Amino acid sequence: MQAPNVSVVTEFQLLGFRTLQEWQTLLFTIFLLIYLLTLTGNIVIIAVVSQDRRLHSPMYMFLQHLSFLEIWYTSTIVPLLLANLTSWGRAISFSACMAQLYFFVFFGTTECFLLAMMAYDRYLAICSPLHYPFLMSPDTCRHLVALCWLTGVGTGFLPSMMISQLDFCGPNQINHFFCDLPPLRQLSCSSAHVTEMAIFVLSVAVLCVCFLLTLMSCVFILSSILKFPSASGQRKTFSTCGSHLAVVTIYYGTMISMYVRPSAHLSPEINKIISVFYTVVTPLMNPVIYSLRNKDFKEAVRKAIRRQHGCCGVRVRGQVFIR
């Protein structure tokens, strides 16, 4: 009779940045500041897009959902990271670890598809402006957004379920700052070959396909704007597309290097640095790239500030906000 599959380990110890103990106060301050700026920036985007009717377009609907996603995506990782920096060897229960893994994969997958849809939206707007209102109608936009979220919900189940079925007999120390797939697989005392292959195939399907779709959209956009008669229009579009491509490359590049690679592993410290980019840095960069560099959004922010000051009875000259 086969022995039942029972996990002996009931909790894990997240080691975090244990090799940088003398820097824990500085790291805590930096990560806390980034987290607060990320929350503030994305909340501002959601509020401004909701209040300004001029921004009720497909592009800003995607941006609003991306901002909502980024709040929960970074909140899945950073609070535990901050707690870990104040108490080395922070304990996390087995069920809480699996829950964090699920939400990390769920939000990460949804972001990949949202970024791909945003690139497709810009491709239609620039390369097919006459057909854009028909091809990207409000109903179509809502359906695409719903598809992104539903795909993320479904994708999150497979890795977390397969990891939770592995045997963990000890040790229980995760050499990372959150419950990620590679360190959890390494801790398993049962064969993880099938799990590793399934997660590899899933990572290729999500990360590489979404990155290629985003890259193809950017290539078509760049080839289209080269036909613009206005040099200023070319520079403006190149700047926007270049910034978008830089953020996308950092996000997908670090994720692909982490999850789409042979079984030979990088050092745990390198893995942590790579993970910081796609869990902490890019959620902060997205509001900057997609909104603060956008003229219409900045004007909407100015109007919201003027309204706020008007409600408080403060008279403010317009040029203070225009500069």
Side-chain angles (χ1 to χ4, degrees):
M1 183 178 294
Q2 187 176 3
N5 183 17
V6 178
S7 293
V8 177
V9 172
T10 58
E11 71 173 19
F12 295 105
Q13 297 287 331
L14 292 171
L15 299 181
F17 296 94
R18 63 173 181 172
T19 59
L20 301 173
Q21 294 191 27
E22 65 277 11
W23 299 96
Q24 62 177 339
T25 303
L26 178 61
L27 290 174
F28 179 87
T29 304
I30 292 174
F31 288 137
L32 178 61
L33 180 61
I34 293 176
Y35 181 57
L36 294 177
L37 289 174
T38 301
L39 293 182
T40 302
N42 286 292
I43 290 173
V44 167
I45 291 175
I46 295 172
V48 171
V49 172
S50 299
Q51 293 177 6
D52 198 313
R53 297 185 62 85
R54 296 182 308 164
L55 301 183
H56 292 180
S57 63
M59 181 180 76
Y60 292 104
M61 181 183 292
F62 283 120
L63 179 60
Q64 195 175 35
H65 278 268
L66 180 65
S67 296
F68 179 77
L69 169 72
E70 294 289 22
I71 291 173
W72 292 104
Y73 177 61
T74 192
S75 296
T76 302
I77 306 297
V78 178
L80 188 61
L81 168 60
L82 295 174
N84 184 272
L85 288 171
T86 60
S87 177
W88 296 100
R90 187 78 176 183
I92 181 173
S93 67
F94 183 87
S95 57
C97 186
M98 294 302 108
Q100 186 188 47
L101 176 62
Y102 168 77
F103 284 109
F104 166 69
V105 177
F106 162 33
F107 292 129
T109 302
T110 306
E111 179 165 356
C112 289
F113 282 98
L114 272 176
L115 290 174
M117 291 301 104
M118 291 175 71
Y120 176 65
D121 171 72
R122 290 301 83 202
Y123 159 73
L124 291 179
I126 295 174
C127 300
S128 301
L130 298 179
H131 300 92
Y132 177 74
F134 172 75
L135 295 174
M136 191 58 71
S137 64
D139 286 340
T140 301
C141 182
R142 282 190 288 268
H143 292 156
L144 290 175
V145 167
L147 180 63
C148 292
W149 283 101
L150 290 174
T151 304
V153 170
T155 304
F157 280 112
L158 180 62
S160 55
M161 182 175 64
M162 296 190 74
I163 291 292
S164 66
Q165 296 301 310
L166 297 176
D167 291 330
F168 295 94
C169 312
N172 67 338
Q173 294 182 329
I174 300 177
N175 195 2
H176 212 319
F177 57 86
F178 73 102
C179 294
D180 200 6
L181 292 166
L184 282 171
R185 288 201 310 266
Q186 293 173 14
L187 286 182
S188 173
C189 58
S190 59
S191 176
H193 178 71
V194 175
T195 301
E196 186 173 352
M197 288 303 300
I199 293 174
F200 175 80
V201 172
L202 184 65
S203 301
V204 171
V206 174
L207 294 172
C208 294
V209 170
C210 288
F211 180 59
L212 288 176
L213 288 175
T214 304
L215 190 62
M216 287 174 58
S217 298
C218 288
V219 169
F220 283 121
I221 290 172
L222 291 175
S223 64
S224 179
I225 63 177
L226 289 175
K227 303 174 185 177
F228 286 2
S230 170
S232 61
Q234 287 184 354
R235 284 195 300 270
K236 179 180 177 182
T237 311
F238 265 121
S239 175
T240 304
C241 191
S243 302
H244 168 76
L245 190 58
V247 175
V248 166
T249 301
I250 292 174
Y251 181 73
Y252 283 114
T254 52
M255 292 278 276
I256 289 173
S257 67
M258 195 71 180
Y259 303 108
V260 184
R261 66 184 186 196
S263 57
H265 300 288
L266 298 175
S267 70
E269 304 308 317
I270 297 296
N271 285 341
K272 295 173 193 176
I273 295 174
I274 293 174
S275 299
V276 165
F277 277 97
Y278 59 79
T279 58
V280 181
V281 177
T282 53
L284 174 64
M285 296 175 66
N286 282 335
V288 177
I289 297 301
Y290 295 113
S291 59
L292 298 183
R293 294 174 58 88
N294 185 288
K295 181 180 178 181
D296 292 335
F297 182 84
K298 288 191 290 186
E299 181 60 31
V301 171
R302 295 189 188 106
K303 286 181 62 178
I305 295 175
R306 294 192 195 104
R307 261 197 320 269
Q308 185 66 27
H309 279 277
C311 292
C312 297
V314 179
R315 186 175 179 181
V316 183
R317 297 180 65 184
Q319 60 265 31
V320 175
F321 297 99
I322 294 175
R323 291 178 182 174

